[in-house]
Amino acid sequence: MSSKRILIIEDEKPIREMIAFGLRRAGFEVAEAQDCRAGRTLLVDKRPDLILVDWMLPDMSGLEFTRQLKRDTSTRELPIILLTARAEETDKVAGLEGGADDYVTKPFSPRELVARINAVLRRATTDVAGEVLEFDGLHLDQAGHRVVAGDRAVILGPTEYRMLEFFMTHPERVYSREQLLDRVWGGNVYVEERTIDVHIRRLRKALEEFGYDRFVQTVRGAGYRFSTRAE
Ligand code: CA
């Protein structure tokens, strides 16, 4: 298993470096940002598995940043741990209501932080693994690796399955071929972009007899989108 990527957003350099050092030593890949703006860029570039965000930041509060990410369907599933120097219970409540998955109060030990990160990551993985996704009668059971239309099984190859799973967890959003390669095949494989079109065709063909091929939509000049709405 490849190591998990953590994005740290913290404006105080010594603290950020101390956290980064502890996390790298624990086997995580780490990206560092000094404010939310830089954090947003790294979110796209590094695709972290979890974000540690400080509450007090120069451009936006960590709480507001958390709220924004949890409102956006493309980042809603991303686990977030808020860091704060304040220990008041009201802050904790506000943080969790804002959508943070956990809350760590400064000062904390690297060991404590790693334990909290691992707990949140474990929870995030279990949630996803047990989920059955459903759109208009098309079911995808992530735990059983099965796709069912009404009461009939949809037979898919492994790549088409992964593609459909990705689409169903990221609906109503356009992805370029390059993004699909990255997200469905994983970043470091060499696959030609037109290979995507082949798998899209196969996926549509498998869904066609159930009438669900219309969900896999071509967006001219941009890529593909999974949507239950008309094109
Ligand atoms: Ca700060």
Side-chain angles (χ1 to χ4, degrees):
M1 204 174 86
S2 63
S3 51
K4 295 287 187 185
R5 289 182 294 266
I6 313 289
L7 169 60
I8 307 169
I9 308 177
E10 160 68 88
D11 56 324
E12 283 154 89
K13 201 167 172 226
I15 297 177
R16 191 175 71 232
E17 287 178 344
M18 190 262 299
I19 295 172
F21 179 78
L23 294 187
R24 287 198 178 101
R25 215 171 45 175
F28 293 106
E29 271 181 50
V30 178
E32 299 175 48
Q34 74 281 6
D35 55 29
C36 295
R37 221 175 102 108
R40 272 211 178 268
T41 307
L42 289 174
L43 202 59
V44 177
D45 292 346
K46 304 282 184 187
R47 290 184 292 114
D49 298 293
L50 182 145
I51 302 180
L52 288 177
V53 60
D54 189 35
W55 188 297
M56 299 294 277
L57 290 164
D59 55 346
M60 183 192 293
S61 81
L63 178 62
E64 181 49 30
F65 187 69
T66 300
R67 285 206 179 103
Q68 286 187 1
L69 295 187
K70 294 293 178 182
R71 269 199 299 263
D72 184 337
T73 47
S74 66
T75 49
R76 198 168 47 200
E77 310 291 335
L78 191 60
I80 301 176
I81 297 179
L82 265 168
L83 307 176
T84 182
R86 302 189 259 173
E88 288 90 353
E89 201 62 17
T90 49
D91 286 344
K92 178 172 179 172
V93 171
L96 296 176
E97 279 178 354
D101 297 84
D102 203 358
Y103 190 95
V104 180
T105 306
K106 295 174 187 172
F108 47 81
S109 71
R111 183 195 292 246
E112 180 192 352
L113 183 62
V114 167
R116 300 288 275 276
I117 288 174
N118 281 330
V120 169
L121 284 174
R122 233 181 352 259
R123 220 156 59 210
T125 325
T126 339
D127 284 353
V128 167
E131 211 175 328
V132 176
L133 307 161
E134 195 261 325
F135 289 89
D136 280 6
L138 177 65
H139 295 83
L140 186 143
D141 171 3
Q142 291 183 306
H145 257 245
R146 256 195 290 264
V147 180
V148 174
D151 54 359
R152 292 165 63 207
V154 181
I155 309 301
L156 296 174
T159 304
E160 287 73 42
Y161 174 85
R162 280 209 308 278
M163 195 173 240
L164 183 62
E165 184 182 41
F166 175 74
F167 277 140
M168 289 177 78
T169 46
H170 302 81
E172 308 297 344
R173 233 193 111 162
V174 180
Y175 289 93
S176 68
R177 287 176 178 78
E178 196 189 346
Q179 286 172 321
L180 284 174
L181 269 184
D182 208 38
R183 306 292 294 270
V184 178
W185 273 260
N188 30 18
V189 288
Y190 293 93
V191 182
E192 286 184 61
E193 289 193 5
R194 68 177 161 217
T195 307
I196 300 278
D197 302 335
V198 173
H199 289 284
I200 289 277
R201 262 202 304 280
R202 284 190 200 154
L203 177 58
R204 280 191 181 132
K205 201 164 166 26
L207 296 174
E208 198 176 358
E209 63 170 301
F210 308 98
Y212 292 121
D213 52 316
R214 66 191 157 92
F215 290 176
V216 183
Q217 303 172 355
T218 304
V219 182
R220 219 165 274 286
Y224 294 102
R225 167 182 60 208
F226 182 89
S227 174
T228 54
R229 294 180 226 153
E231 283 178 60

PDB file of all heavy atoms in Angstrom, residues 10-12 54 56-57 106, ligand 1:
ATOM      1  N   GLU A  10      -0.862  25.564   7.803  1.00  0.00           N
ATOM      2  CA  GLU A  10      -0.502  26.207   9.083  1.00  0.00           C
ATOM      3  C   GLU A  10       0.453  27.340   8.743  1.00  0.00           C
ATOM      4  O   GLU A  10       1.430  27.139   8.021  1.00  0.00           O
ATOM      5  CB  GLU A  10       0.148  25.142   9.991  1.00  0.00           C
ATOM      6  CG  GLU A  10       1.002  25.653  11.117  1.00  0.00           C
ATOM      7  CD  GLU A  10       0.210  26.369  12.200  1.00  0.00           C
ATOM      8  OE1 GLU A  10      -0.255  25.691  13.133  1.00  0.00           O
ATOM      9  OE2 GLU A  10       0.077  27.607  12.103  1.00  0.00           O
ATOM     10  N   ASP A  11       0.146  28.545   9.238  1.00  0.00           N
ATOM     11  CA  ASP A  11       0.979  29.702   8.876  1.00  0.00           C
ATOM     12  C   ASP A  11       2.247  29.818   9.715  1.00  0.00           C
ATOM     13  O   ASP A  11       3.216  30.436   9.287  1.00  0.00           O
ATOM     14  CB  ASP A  11       0.158  30.993   8.967  1.00  0.00           C
ATOM     15  CG  ASP A  11      -0.475  31.188  10.338  1.00  0.00           C
ATOM     16  OD1 ASP A  11      -0.886  30.167  10.947  1.00  0.00           O
ATOM     17  OD2 ASP A  11      -0.557  32.326  10.789  1.00  0.00           O
ATOM     18  N   GLU A  12       2.245  29.232  10.906  1.00  0.00           N
ATOM     19  CA  GLU A  12       3.452  29.343  11.719  1.00  0.00           C
ATOM     20  C   GLU A  12       4.465  28.277  11.313  1.00  0.00           C
ATOM     21  O   GLU A  12       4.271  27.089  11.562  1.00  0.00           O
ATOM     22  CB  GLU A  12       3.105  29.204  13.202  1.00  0.00           C
ATOM     23  CG  GLU A  12       2.481  30.462  13.763  1.00  0.00           C
ATOM     24  CD  GLU A  12       1.587  30.171  14.950  1.00  0.00           C
ATOM     25  OE1 GLU A  12       2.115  30.167  16.076  1.00  0.00           O
ATOM     26  OE2 GLU A  12       0.386  29.923  14.740  1.00  0.00           O
ATOM     27  N   ASP A  54      -5.036  24.552  10.382  1.00  0.00           N
ATOM     28  CA  ASP A  54      -5.008  25.365  11.587  1.00  0.00           C
ATOM     29  C   ASP A  54      -6.244  26.268  11.618  1.00  0.00           C
ATOM     30  O   ASP A  54      -6.737  26.697  10.579  1.00  0.00           O
ATOM     31  CB  ASP A  54      -3.733  26.218  11.590  1.00  0.00           C
ATOM     32  CG  ASP A  54      -3.548  26.925  12.914  1.00  0.00           C
ATOM     33  OD1 ASP A  54      -3.903  26.336  13.955  1.00  0.00           O
ATOM     34  OD2 ASP A  54      -3.057  28.072  12.916  1.00  0.00           O
ATOM     35  N   MET A  56      -6.484  29.371  13.079  1.00  0.00           N
ATOM     36  CA  MET A  56      -6.127  30.765  12.838  1.00  0.00           C
ATOM     37  C   MET A  56      -5.147  30.857  11.677  1.00  0.00           C
ATOM     38  O   MET A  56      -3.987  30.492  11.804  1.00  0.00           O
ATOM     39  CB  MET A  56      -5.483  31.363  14.093  1.00  0.00           C
ATOM     40  CG  MET A  56      -6.393  31.362  15.310  1.00  0.00           C
ATOM     41  SD  MET A  56      -7.817  32.455  15.128  1.00  0.00           S
ATOM     42  CE  MET A  56      -7.063  34.015  15.600  1.00  0.00           C
ATOM     43  N   LEU A  57      -5.633  31.380  10.556  1.00  0.00           N
ATOM     44  CA  LEU A  57      -4.792  31.525   9.366  1.00  0.00           C
ATOM     45  C   LEU A  57      -4.954  32.932   8.820  1.00  0.00           C
ATOM     46  O   LEU A  57      -5.975  33.582   9.064  1.00  0.00           O
ATOM     47  CB  LEU A  57      -5.207  30.504   8.302  1.00  0.00           C
ATOM     48  CG  LEU A  57      -4.873  29.033   8.631  1.00  0.00           C
ATOM     49  CD1 LEU A  57      -5.645  28.091   7.728  1.00  0.00           C
ATOM     50  CD2 LEU A  57      -3.369  28.787   8.511  1.00  0.00           C
ATOM     51  N   LYS A 106      -3.644  22.379  20.425  1.00  0.00           N
ATOM     52  CA  LYS A 106      -2.219  22.603  20.687  1.00  0.00           C
ATOM     53  C   LYS A 106      -2.025  22.875  22.175  1.00  0.00           C
ATOM     54  O   LYS A 106      -2.886  23.509  22.783  1.00  0.00           O
ATOM     55  CB  LYS A 106      -1.725  23.831  19.902  1.00  0.00           C
ATOM     56  CG  LYS A 106      -1.763  23.674  18.398  1.00  0.00           C
ATOM     57  CD  LYS A 106      -1.396  25.023  17.775  1.00  0.00           C
ATOM     58  CE  LYS A 106      -1.565  25.010  16.272  1.00  0.00           C
ATOM     59  NZ  LYS A 106      -1.401  26.356  15.688  1.00  0.00           N
TER      60      LYS A 106
HETATM   61 CA    CA B   1      -2.029  29.910  12.916  1.00  0.00          CA
END
